[in-house]
Amino acid sequence: MKFLAMRVGQLSLLLTLVFLLQNCAENDLVDTATTTQKEEVSALIDMETAMEVEFLEESEIESRTRSFYTFHTLNQALHCTGLGAVLGDGINTIYAPSDAAFAKAGLNAHNVCSALSKSTLSNILLYHVVPADLVSLREVGCQEMANGDLTQRRNESHRFFIHDAQIYRAFTQVGHDYKLRVYVITDVLEVPDQNIVETADGAPVFESLVAAVLAADPAIAAALSDEDAIFTVFAPTNEAFGNLIASFGASSLEELVDIVGIETLSTILLYHVVDACAFSNDLEDGLRLTTLQGEKVEIDLNNLTIIDKTNTPADLEVELLDILTANGIVHGIDKVLLPQAVLDNL
C-alpha cells in the first residue's frame, strides 16, 4: 500500500511554507522576545467566531477552564512566524493546541516567540497542519503533515486522537480568502527528530538489528537513514536474531555473516522493509505488502502476526507497535522473516 503522494494543488502551498522556513532559519539568532508581544495579534483561531462547532465526547483529561477553549499562544506563534498569513489563504486543516496544551509545555503568549528559534517554532507549527485539505474527523492511520513528517490518527471507542493527544473539539473558520478546519487537541505534538536507524540504535531491544544493518550492504543503513523517505520496518528483536543465529548453527552475528554472506544478510534485511507508511491501524487482515527485497509478506490481523515464505508466523509485539521516526514507522516482531530467495539457497 503506497503512501499517496500529495495532490498537485498542494504544491504551491508547500513551496510557500518552505520559503517561510528558509527565511526563519536565516533569523535563528535574532532575539524575538519583543517581536509582537505588545501588538494586538489577529485571532485567526477563535472558537467563539467559528461555524460548525462539533462537541466531541468529554474526557477526564479535559478541564473546564477557559484555557482549554482559547488560542492566544497559538495565534501569537502563527503571527511571529508568519504562518498565520499562510493559513489565512486557501483551504487547510490544523490540529490546534489550546492555551492549556501549550501551558503543559511551559509556553504561553508572552514567551512562545522567544523560548524557541523561529525555525524550530515554525517546524512545530507545520507539524500540526495538513495543507490544502479539509481532513475528516473519522480518518485514521497515516497522515503526512506540512513539514513532511508523519502522524497517526486513531479512533478508540469514538474518542479521537492524533498520536497521544486527544481531539476534543472540532470547528471550521471561514474568511474571505480561506477555510480552515480546526481540531482542538490536548497536547502540543512532538516532532519526530530521529530516523529509523537512530531510533533503533536507541532501543536496547533492537541492538542485534542495528548490528545486522551495519554488517550488511552500507546502502541499507543509508536508505533507512534517509529522512526524505517513508518506510515501515518490521523489526526483529534481539531474541529473534538469537533464534536465527542458532538455527544456522552459529554462535554470533559475525559467525552468521561468515556462513551466509553479506549479500544474503542484506536480502533478509530488505525483506523487512516496506516502502510505505503503515501504522498498526492501517493494516488489514490478508493484506500483502511488497518489501524492498521484492517479495511479499502477509498480514494475519486476527492473530496479530506477519507471514513470511516459511509460513511460520512472526508475532507483532504489541508494546513495540507504531514506533514513530522521522522517516517512517517501526513495528517490533519476534522472528526474523525469510524470503523465498534465501530459502532456495539454504
Side-chain angles (χ1 to χ4, degrees):
M1 45 180 285
K2 280 284 185 179
F3 190 75
L4 298 178
M6 289 185 177
R7 295 190 299 272
V8 173
Q10 296 175 297
L11 181 58
S12 60
L13 176 59
L14 285 177
L15 290 175
T16 302
L17 296 176
V18 170
F19 175 75
L20 282 169
L21 277 178
Q22 289 175 336
N23 284 345
C24 291
E26 293 173 359
N27 293 289
D28 276 355
L29 301 179
V30 176
D31 181 5
T32 59
T34 59
T35 304
T36 56
Q37 290 178 11
K38 294 185 179 180
E39 298 177 17
E40 182 177 349
V41 176
S42 175
L44 176 65
I45 312 297
D46 182 4
M47 199 167 71
E48 292 184 2
T49 63
M51 59 184 293
E52 301 177 19
V53 177
E54 186 172 357
F55 293 86
L56 308 179
E57 180 181 339
E58 302 290 342
S59 74
E60 294 179 1
I61 298 176
E62 184 181 344
S63 166
R64 294 287 185 171
T65 61
R66 177 173 172 78
S67 63
F68 268 75
Y69 308 97
T70 58
F71 306 92
H72 303 298
T73 308
L74 177 58
N75 283 317
Q76 183 70 50
L78 291 171
H79 183 78
C80 70
T81 58
L83 293 177
V86 176
L87 293 182
D89 184 16
I91 296 174
N92 301 282
T93 295
I94 185 169
Y95 296 90
S98 65
D99 288 334
F102 273 105
K104 291 181 187 180
L107 298 171
N108 55 53
H110 299 290
N111 68 11
V112 68
C113 295
S114 58
L116 303 169
S117 69
K118 282 190 176 182
S119 61
T120 297
L121 183 57
S122 294
N123 191 43
I124 291 171
L125 294 176
L126 291 174
Y127 190 56
H128 290 72
V129 174
V130 181
D133 199 5
L134 297 178
V135 178
S136 168
L137 181 64
R138 271 74 187 174
E139 290 184 20
V140 298
C142 291
Q143 191 160 82
E144 187 170 359
M145 311 306 282
N147 73 336
D149 286 318
L150 300 173
T151 58
Q152 181 186 21
R153 283 278 303 272
R154 309 193 325 271
N155 179 348
E156 298 179 1
S157 301
H158 303 292
R159 295 174 65 196
F160 304 96
F161 295 84
I162 181 164
H163 294 331
D164 294 325
Q166 185 176 353
I167 303 169
Y168 62 94
R169 291 290 181 270
F171 59 90
T172 303
Q173 300 275 165
V174 177
H176 179 70
D177 295 319
Y178 76 96
K179 186 172 185 180
L180 184 64
R181 185 62 169 165
V182 180
Y183 293 119
V184 187
I185 57 177
T186 55
D187 299 273
V188 178
L189 302 179
E190 184 177 351
V191 183
D193 61 358
Q194 291 189 314
N195 60 48
I196 290 169
V197 174
E198 292 169 335
T199 301
D201 190 41
V205 70
F206 297 128
E207 182 179 350
S208 295
L209 172 61
V210 173
V213 168
L214 297 179
D217 186 331
I220 295 178
L224 296 179
S225 301
D226 181 3
E227 296 189 11
D228 291 327
I230 296 175
F231 296 117
T232 297
V233 176
F234 296 103
T237 62
N238 295 336
E239 183 178 357
F241 270 99
N243 292 336
L244 177 71
I245 290 168
S247 71
F248 277 86
S251 60
S252 65
L253 178 64
E254 292 77 10
E255 191 174 341
L256 175 67
V257 175
D258 289 338
I259 294 171
V260 302
I262 291 178
E263 183 177 350
T264 295
L265 176 63
S266 300
T267 298
I268 292 172
L269 291 175
L270 290 173
Y271 190 54
H272 293 75
V273 184
V274 177
D275 185 14
C277 173
F279 285 105
S280 59
N281 58 348
D282 289 304
L283 302 177
E284 301 174 1
D285 189 51
L287 180 67
R288 303 181 74 219
L289 298 171
T290 302
T291 68
L292 290 187
Q293 181 267 339
E295 299 182 44
K296 297 179 185 294
V297 293
E298 183 175 342
I299 307 298
D300 180 355
L301 206 55
N302 292 327
N303 296 302
L304 205 61
T305 60
I306 307 292
I307 308 298
D308 66 0
K309 296 303 181 180
T310 68
N311 289 321
T312 302
D315 290 338
L316 286 159
E317 302 281 7
V318 175
E319 68 278 10
L320 296 175
L321 292 177
D322 299 321
I323 300 171
L324 180 62
T325 78
N327 62 337
I329 303 101
V330 175
H331 301 300
I333 57 176
D334 71 349
K335 171 182 175 290
V336 177
L337 306 174
L338 295 177
Q340 193 62 49
V342 170
L343 296 176
D344 288 343
N345 293 322
L346 294 182

